[in-house]
Amino acid sequence: MAVLAVLAVLGGGHAVLDFFTPPQPPPTDTAAVGAVGRAQLAGAFAQQFVVTYLTANNGQQERLSEYVGTAQHVSLPTVSRQVADPMVVYVSRAVTNRSIDVWSVTVSVRIGKAGIVTASDARQYFRVAVSLAGGRPRALALPAAVAPPGKGIDLALAYSGSCGPESPLAQVASGFLGALLAGSGDVSRYTVPNSGIVALQPAPLTGIDAVAVLSDSRDCGASGDVARVLATVTPKGDATAALPAMAYPLTLARNGGQWQVRTMEPIPALANPLAEVGAGDARGPVAPATTTTTTTTVQVPPATQK
């Protein structure tokens, strides 16, 4: 009662009411969530429309009427084409108001030759304008063939150079990846306590032939307490199914005098500030002078730490 009296004096009725009202959950961005859902709906509709449009033949205009209102005026080939591997590659909202959204969707497919689709058939890209009114999609026009996305930029990485096979960082990274991917040892031997990292089951590799290690530590772990590495794994060759190389960004920490893997990072370490690198030149912020893309293949050392 004393607490209520103080609240009433200081804040009036609202303070008393707030005392009994449980805290409200933080607000969620429902608008953003809804936009993501509408983008997925527009993309799925456009993909289905493109496949139907490309596989329809003359006399099947009614199939297109489910997607676009101008279907009755469409001239179609006399023979159906084969289409495979459709995917939505880009979605952008062009117009929006309270009741209608208009999306531009780009869909990629492979169109077969002579009725057969093969992996060698180049991908082709088609853009579709899709309106959404009350959750109901409709194409504004027929699909348009467009150019594929252009080549992206290369970003400079933060690794200063390669580490030899006998360096502390290379030995730990090699032993860790051997245990993680091929079951050659205990993963926890190479990780910090409670890292949550466990070996992949079943093991995707029978063994590892080589590991190339880049690091932002100039002395490759001879000093310092934290280091970031990019370890490129060459799987052991298999007569039936050889796998390509794989790259693992790792953060290592020195614990009790020993280097251990702290985290498996989702992306490689990037130069700060971000720098774009090209064929012999750099655009935008200049990359650090020590940044290099040179890699050295090394043999896997014994599963020991130093």
Side-chain angles (χ1 to χ4, degrees):
M1 294 301 294
V3 172
L4 294 179
V6 173
L7 290 174
V9 171
L10 296 178
H14 286 292
V16 177
L17 180 61
D18 292 341
F19 182 81
F20 289 104
T21 303
Q24 297 298 315
T28 59
D29 192 350
T30 56
V33 173
V36 171
R38 291 191 292 274
Q40 292 176 337
L41 176 59
F45 175 84
Q47 176 178 305
Q48 189 176 16
F49 179 29
V50 168
V51 172
T52 302
Y53 177 71
L54 294 175
T55 58
N57 57 40
N58 192 25
Q60 293 183 326
Q61 283 81 0
E62 72 281 354
R63 293 179 58 192
L64 306 184
S65 298
E66 301 178 12
Y67 303 94
V68 65
T70 59
Q72 65 273 19
H73 305 298
V74 176
S75 177
L76 297 173
T78 57
V79 179
S80 298
R81 288 164 294 187
Q82 296 296 316
V83 173
D85 300 334
M87 64 174 63
V88 176
V89 297
Y90 187 73
V91 180
S92 174
R93 187 167 61 183
V95 176
T96 182
N97 60 28
R98 291 186 177 182
S99 58
I100 297 177
D101 286 344
V102 178
W103 300 82
S104 175
V105 183
T106 302
V107 177
S108 170
V109 297
R110 296 186 191 274
I111 302 178
K113 299 176 182 178
I116 301 176
V117 182
T118 65
S120 62
D121 290 324
R123 283 196 166 274
Q124 299 185 40
Y125 296 79
F126 297 86
R127 187 165 55 217
V128 182
V130 179
S131 67
L132 288 178
R136 296 171 297 175
R138 190 70 171 169
L140 301 184
L142 298 175
V146 295
K151 183 179 178 180
I153 64 173
D154 292 320
L155 293 177
L157 302 182
Y159 310 108
S160 56
S162 61
C163 296
E166 297 303 321
S167 65
L169 297 183
Q171 290 204 15
V172 174
S174 298
F176 166 74
L177 292 171
L180 177 79
L181 301 173
S184 57
D186 185 358
V187 169
S188 63
R189 178 184 179 188
Y190 302 96
T191 60
V192 299
N194 302 317
S195 69
I197 302 174
V198 297
L200 302 184
Q201 296 293 338
L205 305 179
T206 58
I208 292 176
D209 273 341
V211 176
V213 177
L214 300 176
S215 174
D216 65 348
S217 170
R218 294 180 181 273
D219 56 14
C220 292
S223 62
D225 296 320
V226 178
R228 297 175 296 178
V229 305
L230 182 66
T232 302
V233 179
T234 301
K236 181 170 291 186
D238 189 292
T240 58
L243 292 175
M246 298 176 289
Y248 288 84
L250 307 171
T251 296
L252 281 67
R254 191 191 295 271
N255 185 16
Q258 295 182 334
W259 284 100
Q260 295 176 312
V261 176
R262 188 169 70 186
T263 53
M264 298 177 63
E265 303 296 347
I267 64 172
L270 297 172
N272 186 18
L274 292 179
E276 176 187 351
V277 296
D281 65 348
R283 287 162 286 181
V286 178
T290 56
T291 299
T292 177
T293 56
T294 303
T295 60
T296 302
T297 301
V298 299
Q299 295 300 315
V300 178
T304 59
Q305 296 189 67
K306 293 186 178 181

